[in-house]
Amino acid sequence: QMKSKWRYNIRLGGKKLVIKRADEAGIETFYELFRETAARDGIALHGIQYYKKLFALAADYAKMNNPPAQKPDLRLYLAEYENKAIAGIITLFFGDTGTYLYGASSNQYRNMMAPYALQWQAMQDAKNAGCKEYDLFGIPPDDNPAHPMAGLYRFKTGFGGLIIHRPGSFDYPYKPFIYVLFRFAEKIRKSFRDLKKKR
């Protein structure tokens, strides 16, 4: 079900790039790419300690006396072109599901199609690890070109697969006044993001 252009991009990336599974030291490289992505796309990101903690917790949990199928396998992949990392993704293999969590790419060498090659590598590794499905995580509810994440919708659905609509998340304000302030701050942040994208 994959679109032909996606197949072409995967083949192109496979010829030009080196895809590596990085260790924790690669988080620094990934984070620099993530900062570029956040600035380019107007998205928020956590501090680097958040991602380091994510890997530390996964490693601690994997050491517990659980069946192999219940041990989280958190992976960082980096795509290199001419010995320079130009994109990366973080995935989690757990049970029978592989899940794409975070992705980042450089402003340079966009024509190398690194995000396509990275996803394809992760999909193959998920299958080899015994996963029965690969979850590309969230997308907008439909293919609306005016949606701020329309590009993400096109990128993820181009790989084929099944779109599953879930109920979504709901806020239950524990402190109503602070919640109102938070919602107001979110509206301002989104307005700035949308203005930045229009430039």
Side-chain angles (χ1 to χ4, degrees):
Q1 297 175 347
M2 191 185 297
K3 292 181 180 178
S4 59
K5 179 65 174 173
W6 270 240
R7 295 180 186 276
Y8 173 83
N9 290 343
I10 287 168
R11 287 195 297 269
L12 176 65
K15 291 176 184 175
K16 302 283 186 178
L17 303 169
V18 175
I19 308 295
K20 292 182 176 178
R21 183 178 173 188
D23 56 19
E24 277 190 61
I27 297 173
E28 303 274 351
T29 302
F30 174 82
Y31 193 72
E32 287 306 309
L33 292 167
F34 211 179
R35 288 176 64 184
E36 278 191 60
T37 304
R40 182 178 68 237
D41 296 341
I43 58 174
L45 75 161
H46 301 284
I48 192 169
Q49 291 305 321
Y50 173 90
Y51 304 96
K52 288 183 176 180
K53 187 71 172 177
L54 180 67
F55 277 86
L57 288 172
D60 288 346
Y61 194 81
K63 291 174 186 174
M64 294 181 183
N65 191 22
N66 293 321
Q70 296 302 311
K71 292 183 183 292
D73 183 358
L74 191 66
R75 301 187 181 200
L76 168 61
Y77 294 91
L78 294 174
E80 295 182 353
Y81 179 67
E82 296 181 344
N83 296 316
K84 178 179 173 146
I86 63 169
I89 61 172
I90 295 175
T91 63
L92 174 67
F93 300 166
F94 186 77
D96 61 0
T97 303
T99 305
Y100 164 51
L101 299 177
Y102 303 102
S105 62
S106 171
N107 295 329
Q108 295 181 302
Y109 307 112
R110 303 290 297 279
N111 60 329
M112 292 293 106
M113 304 301 166
Y116 297 86
L118 284 164
Q119 291 294 346
W120 182 239
Q121 184 65 57
M123 289 175 188
Q124 293 178 92
D125 288 355
K127 183 178 180 181
N128 291 335
C131 296
K132 295 178 181 176
E133 50 189 33
Y134 184 80
D135 186 353
L136 282 159
F137 228 35
I139 56 172
D142 53 36
D143 189 10
N144 179 2
H147 194 284
M149 299 178 78
L152 188 70
Y153 182 97
R154 288 191 296 273
F155 173 71
K156 291 185 177 182
T157 57
F159 287 96
L162 181 67
I163 296 175
I164 299 173
H165 292 276
R166 302 191 189 279
S169 57
F170 300 89
D171 292 341
Y172 181 80
Y174 175 64
K175 296 184 178 180
F177 178 71
I178 293 174
Y179 179 75
V180 169
L181 293 177
F182 168 76
R183 294 289 292 170
F184 181 70
E186 275 292 284
K187 284 183 180 179
I188 293 173
R189 184 185 69 82
K190 287 178 181 177
S191 296
F192 277 117
R193 181 197 65 193
D194 293 343
L195 282 172
K196 191 174 181 181
K197 284 189 174 183
K198 288 177 181 177
R199 290 178 184 172

